[in-house]
Amino acid sequence: MNSALFTAHIAHLQSIYEQAMEFSAGNEFDAVLVHSGSEKAYFADDRGVPFQSYDHFLHWLPVNRPEQCLLIQKGQKPKFLHVVPTDYWYDQSIDLDECVAEAVDIVRLSSVDQIAAEVAHTRPAYIGEEPAKYSAMLGDGLCCNPTQLLGFLDYHRAYKTEYEIAQLKSANQTALKGHGAANETFQGGGTEYDIHQAYLNACNILENEAPYTNIVAVNQNSAILHYQNKKRDKSVKNHVLLIDAGYRCNGYGSDITRTNVTATAHPVFVELLKGMEAIELALVAAIKPGISYVDIHILTLRKIGELLQSLGIVTCDTDTLFEHQLTQVFMPHGVGHQLGIQVHDVAGFQQDIQGTLLSAPSHSPNLRNTRMIEKDMVFAIEPGCYFIPMLLEPHRGSKFKALFNWELIDQLVGNGGIRIEDNILATETGSLNLTRGSV
């Protein structure tokens, strides 16, 4: 971890939180207590659900442990209330980089109950998942998860510091090693399970250390957008692999998708893949501050429409496809989303610090980002093209049936789908592809 970048990041967050407290001045608090979260168990079981710290806590500190708190006060160094229980059942130690100790005051506690004494001199606002628990501990007058405060903080999460960009770059570099190993295993005839394990091994992570559950889909499974299985059937002959998998570095997750084919894939599908790869790079090249993310999505639909027409998959022009929302039959999701601590990061619809929301357009309800692109934003660009029977079949009998080349589509369904995804930083004049390098 780069000490200078981390120190500057903490100073930036201190400024943002002080501004947020001023913005929320009508509320009766003079500090913010950020809680990492509490451990949970599965229903009627004593087995714990894998823990993940609250994202506003991870924004400050790369500590993925329960019952940690950070106290932010105006004009004072942030105070990390570092709870280390006395326990012989589990390892409770937390390794902290030296630069963390330099940037925040660390107060070591042995019990959550001791937090109350550390905040007794303040009137904090609590943000976290346990408002009832902390109200009982700190007093019924505790201001919990105030809307104005969270709206302000969420909005500013879209703008990344140099420290955050460095973590996202590193997360991309490691994930690419996993994608290389996954493709090698796929080309060698490995099962979805084998490919998944190859990815984890190359990244040197456990499954629950990934920023999200890996999507490892072979052949027709690649047309299931969030395919969740890892099949072990060795009799399957590999034609297409869609793998959507990332890596987490100090709390920040990359989100990369690649589609690979073997020599047995349908030749039109291979050409479709080449076209989609070119479209993805063209979309990245089109990004610059002052453009709406919605416009990037519309450009995506038009480019995919042109590709479908050029390959004879549809028999009409791009304008007709767009007018009747038929491209969405092949690409039903949005072109991407905000990216950071959360893979689908907050405030993709939030237009200002007041919390004004702009919903996705009616023609693309699954789009996750409607903000104007601005410098230091990071987001995913992930055009896709799929042969999804659930979406295609209704059109065999619709008024648009003649616009589809059903003979060719029936040949392509078994190949599934395509998605290409990179992680993009908006710069002052254009963009930087954190996954591939400069664009």
Side-chain angles (χ1 to χ4, degrees), residues 277-331:
E277 289 172 336
I279 285 172
E280 195 266 348
L281 293 177
L283 294 173
V284 174
I287 290 168
K288 61 181 179 180
I291 294 177
S292 168
Y293 198 84
V294 175
D295 289 340
I296 296 296
H297 178 74
I298 291 172
L299 179 62
T300 305
L301 293 175
R302 289 194 169 277
K303 284 185 172 293
I304 291 175
E306 291 171 0
L307 180 61
L308 291 168
Q309 180 191 14
S310 70
L311 294 175
I313 297 170
V314 297
T315 60
C316 61
D317 58 44
T318 303
D319 288 341
T320 300
L321 286 173
F322 188 79
E323 178 186 354
H324 298 293
Q325 301 179 25
L326 295 178
T327 311
Q328 288 88 322
V329 173
F330 298 92
M331 182 180 158

Side-chain angles (χ1 to χ4, degrees), residues 202-436:
C203 292
N204 195 29
I205 56 173
L206 299 171
E207 188 168 21
N208 64 7
E209 292 174 328
Y212 56 95
T213 303
N214 289 350
I215 298 169
V216 182
V218 169
N219 300 343
Q220 67 270 23
N221 294 334
S222 60
I224 303 171
L225 300 187
H226 284 174
Y227 176 71
Q228 73 275 36
N229 300 319
K230 312 288 186 298
K231 291 187 177 178
R232 297 169 170 83
D233 186 355
K234 294 185 180 295
S235 68
V236 173
K237 187 173 183 180
N238 290 348
H239 307 299
V240 176
L241 167 67
L242 188 157
I243 175 168
D244 187 335
Y247 179 83
R248 179 177 281 138
C249 180
N250 291 320
Y252 291 83
S254 56
D255 183 5
I256 302 172
T257 307
R258 292 291 182 262
T259 304
N260 300 293
V261 295
T262 63
T264 58
H266 193 288
V268 174
F269 191 90
V270 174
E271 291 305 309
L272 182 63
L273 174 57
K274 291 177 182 177
M276 289 299 295
E277 289 172 336
I279 285 172
E280 195 266 348
L281 293 177
L283 294 173
V284 174
I287 290 168
K288 61 181 179 180
I291 294 177
S292 168
Y293 198 84
V294 175
D295 289 340
I296 296 296
H297 178 74
I298 291 172
L299 179 62
T300 305
L301 293 175
R302 289 194 169 277
K303 284 185 172 293
I304 291 175
E306 291 171 0
L307 180 61
L308 291 168
Q309 180 191 14
S310 70
L311 294 175
I313 297 170
V314 297
T315 60
C316 61
D317 58 44
T318 303
D319 288 341
T320 300
L321 286 173
F322 188 79
E323 178 186 354
H324 298 293
Q325 301 179 25
L326 295 178
T327 311
Q328 288 88 322
V329 173
F330 298 92
M331 182 180 158
H333 61 74
V335 73
H337 47 82
Q338 296 280 339
L339 181 68
I341 299 167
Q342 290 173 263
V343 172
H344 295 156
D345 215 356
V346 294
F349 300 118
Q350 191 173 335
Q351 304 300 301
D352 52 39
I353 58 176
Q354 286 77 23
T356 305
L357 300 179
L358 177 62
S359 299
S362 59
H363 61 72
S364 298
N366 293 321
L367 181 62
R368 297 177 184 267
N369 188 5
T370 59
R371 288 180 72 159
M372 295 295 293
I373 294 171
E374 298 182 66
K375 181 179 179 294
D376 295 329
M377 286 184 171
V378 176
F379 40 79
I381 291 293
E382 50 177 321
C385 186
Y386 315 85
F387 298 92
I388 304 172
M390 183 185 302
L391 301 181
L392 287 165
E393 288 306 312
H395 286 293
R396 285 190 191 269
S398 79
K399 63 182 180 180
F400 303 115
K401 62 183 179 181
L403 305 183
F404 295 79
N405 183 345
W406 294 109
E407 182 179 354
L408 180 54
I409 287 170
D410 288 341
Q411 295 173 31
L412 295 173
V413 164
N415 286 260
I418 296 166
R419 186 162 65 250
I420 311 296
E421 179 179 21
D422 290 340
N423 303 163
I424 311 304
L425 167 69
T427 64
E428 191 168 348
T429 58
S431 68
L432 173 68
N433 192 325
L434 301 179
T435 310
R436 301 175 191 251

Side-chain angles (χ1 to χ4, degrees), residues 27-49:
N27 295 295
E28 296 299 320
F29 56 84
D30 59 10
V32 180
L33 184 68
V34 189
H35 178 213
S36 69
S38 300
E39 287 185 301
K40 302 289 188 298
Y42 290 103
F43 178 66
D45 198 343
D46 63 356
R47 186 164 62 97
V49 176

Side-chain angles (χ1 to χ4, degrees), residues 12-25:
H12 171 76
L13 290 185
Q14 179 73 28
S15 174
I16 292 295
Y17 271 65
E18 290 187 4
Q19 292 175 51
M21 283 187 266
E22 289 292 333
F23 179 70
S24 309

